[in-house]
Amino acid sequence: MTYTQTRGSSTGRRPDDAGPDVDDVARVLEPDGTRVADATLDPWIADLSPHELRALHRDMVLTRRLDAEGVALQRQGQLALWAPCRGQEAVQVGTAHALAPGDFVFPSYREHGVLLGRGAKPADYVLAWRGEEHSAYDHTTINAAPPQIIIGAQSLHATGWAMGAQRDGSSDVAVAYYGDGATSQGDVNEAMVFASSFRAPVVFVCSNNQWAISEPVTVQAKFPIAGRAPGFGIPSLRVDGNDALACVAAMRWALDRARRGEGPSFIEAVTYRMGPHTTSDDPTRYRDADDVEEWTHRDPIARLEAYLRAEGVIDDSGLDKVARAADTLAAEVRAACIGAITREPATMFDHVYAEPHAGVERQKAEYVAYLGGFEK
């Protein structure tokens, strides 16, 4: 579904007024993996090679295995928290695969597949959730900002970075990832105002996973979220977020606009959060099991795999190889987590500023004295 400045949120509403229709989307793969034509998306994926298709599938499988390991590590007390992404692998990996090396992503706390696509190392996924590092990875090596916990704040950071790239004469593009709940935050709307006004090369990717913690998207959106962007002067696409090929196409469309100086774009990827909001959440308290079951039949990995099998792009041998790679990544993540060396608590005050700071030194001394009160 394509939205422009003259065509907004007047379509996609359910007859029962429950909210936007999840099938009112652009897609090229049906839930069973059948390839269908879409005039908007097809041109952007016509050149995808078998190698690229296999890589897309591989990274989706690795993301799901990584995610399962993160949940397990948290349940075993090795991580303080984990934000599961099962079910959202297509939008994360699909959009990440469309990026150029110089593009810079600003993720939320759930974009494990985006980080994987940018080249994150095993330790990068877990050290921050374990409380060992502020960010865990070097943003300059994978061109990814630290995962943002404050809902929607990364949209401002992405827009600012994009405006800087624009002034540098760079062709690089910023990408802000956030969920449907973030679209109700002022930060996101303010970022879109600035992005539109300055024609900043930034792409806003909204992973509409149907739930903002325990509140359904229908509480805040009776019409498609993609229909809001044209009100800011930003073209948008509403795609099936469980269709990896559609996500690649949508991101390529948005990146092309940005690189040609046409400014920001907005992508609403309609998907579903299969697990809890975080490992501190119990979705059975607010979510219908039948709804979850329905979305299992829209599984993004099974969908792409069915298509690749039908096209002869992958076979059992290839799938076994991917499964082994996924297990290897999970083992490396676990080893990096359990093998992490916890530093002394007072070191959290180190490197706050490049130069010594009297206020920080005073706080550190007070904290050391406080900790000393517990020593025997």
Side-chain angles (χ1 to χ4, degrees):
M1 182 62 64
T2 305
Y3 293 86
T4 66
Q5 290 184 343
T6 57
R7 182 182 178 189
S9 57
S10 60
T11 62
R13 193 172 187 176
R14 290 176 179 171
D16 62 2
D17 197 33
D21 184 354
V22 297
D23 282 314
D24 184 39
V25 293
R27 65 164 64 100
V28 295
L29 291 182
E30 296 287 1
D32 64 358
T34 301
R35 181 72 162 85
V36 293
D38 184 275
T40 300
L41 301 179
D42 283 341
W44 298 104
I45 51 175
D47 64 340
L48 283 179
S49 67
H51 171 74
E52 290 172 311
L53 291 171
R54 284 190 291 269
L56 189 64
H57 171 268
R58 178 184 183 275
D59 280 0
M60 289 170 63
V61 173
L62 262 62
T63 297
R64 180 163 296 186
R65 183 66 182 87
L66 159 68
D67 185 56
E69 195 64 27
V71 172
L73 286 166
Q74 193 281 330
R75 298 306 190 202
Q76 294 160 10
Q78 296 296 333
L79 299 178
L81 193 71
W82 184 260
C85 68
R86 184 166 63 92
Q88 299 180 220
E89 296 89 355
V91 57
Q92 294 185 9
V93 175
T95 56
H97 269 236
L99 299 173
D103 297 332
F104 207 101
V105 303
F106 294 79
S108 78
Y109 42 77
R110 201 184 306 280
E111 267 75 44
H112 312 307
V114 174
L115 296 180
L116 185 145
R118 298 305 279 169
K121 302 296 187 255
D124 295 344
Y125 302 103
V126 290
L127 293 188
W129 293 111
R130 189 179 167 88
E132 306 291 356
E133 299 285 350
H134 292 299
S135 173
Y137 51 79
D138 181 355
H139 69 275
T140 64
T141 61
I142 66 173
N143 275 13
Q148 182 57 252
I149 299 297
I150 301 173
I151 305 300
Q154 67 272 27
S155 59
L156 292 170
H157 308 156
T159 300
W161 189 95
M163 291 172 65
Q166 182 184 58
R167 283 150 180 74
D168 288 342
S170 170
S171 63
D172 295 331
V173 180
V175 183
Y177 288 89
Y178 46 79
D180 49 283
T183 60
S184 291
Q185 293 287 340
D187 284 0
V188 170
N189 293 273
E190 291 160 11
M192 292 172 72
V193 169
F194 269 80
S196 178
S197 297
F198 291 94
R199 299 178 70 85
V202 57
V203 181
F204 300 103
V205 179
C206 172
S207 296
N208 178 358
N209 65 19
Q210 311 302 309
W211 292 94
I213 307 182
S214 59
E215 294 293 342
V217 67
T218 53
V219 170
Q220 63 178 336
K222 293 298 183 182
F223 295 88
I225 294 173
R228 299 179 184 179
F232 295 91
I234 301 175
S236 63
L237 283 176
R238 189 174 197 249
V239 300
D240 188 332
N242 284 16
D243 177 353
L245 300 188
C247 293
V248 173
M251 182 57 92
R252 284 182 166 185
W253 163 79
L255 293 171
D256 180 71
R257 291 193 68 256
R259 297 196 210 286
R260 287 191 286 108
E262 295 185 5
S265 302
F266 185 98
I267 299 171
E268 179 191 357
V270 180
T271 181
Y272 195 82
R273 167 171 54 81
M274 296 301 293
H277 177 72
T278 69
T279 47
S280 65
D281 173 41
D282 178 8
T284 63
R285 298 179 61 183
Y286 57 80
R287 205 162 64 179
D288 190 332
D290 291 339
D291 195 32
V292 178
E293 175 63 23
E294 179 183 344
W295 277 89
T296 62
H297 301 297
R298 299 170 178 261
D299 184 84
I301 296 178
R303 181 183 307 200
L304 182 59
E305 184 177 312
Y307 170 69
L308 297 184
R309 278 185 176 276
E311 293 294 308
V313 174
I314 200 167
D315 55 18
D316 288 341
S317 175
L319 293 175
D320 289 343
K321 183 178 179 180
V322 170
R324 289 194 298 273
D327 286 340
T328 297
L329 174 60
E332 291 172 347
V333 168
R334 173 169 288 272
C337 177
I338 296 177
I341 299 175
T342 301
R343 294 181 293 175
E344 291 298 319
T347 60
M348 74 172 75
F349 296 94
D350 297 342
H351 311 299
V352 175
Y353 293 99
E355 303 293 335
H357 189 285
V360 173
E361 292 300 323
R362 184 180 67 255
Q363 292 176 10
K364 181 176 181 179
E366 292 172 352
Y367 186 58
V368 169
Y370 168 75
L371 293 177
F374 294 95
E375 296 178 356
K376 296 182 179 178

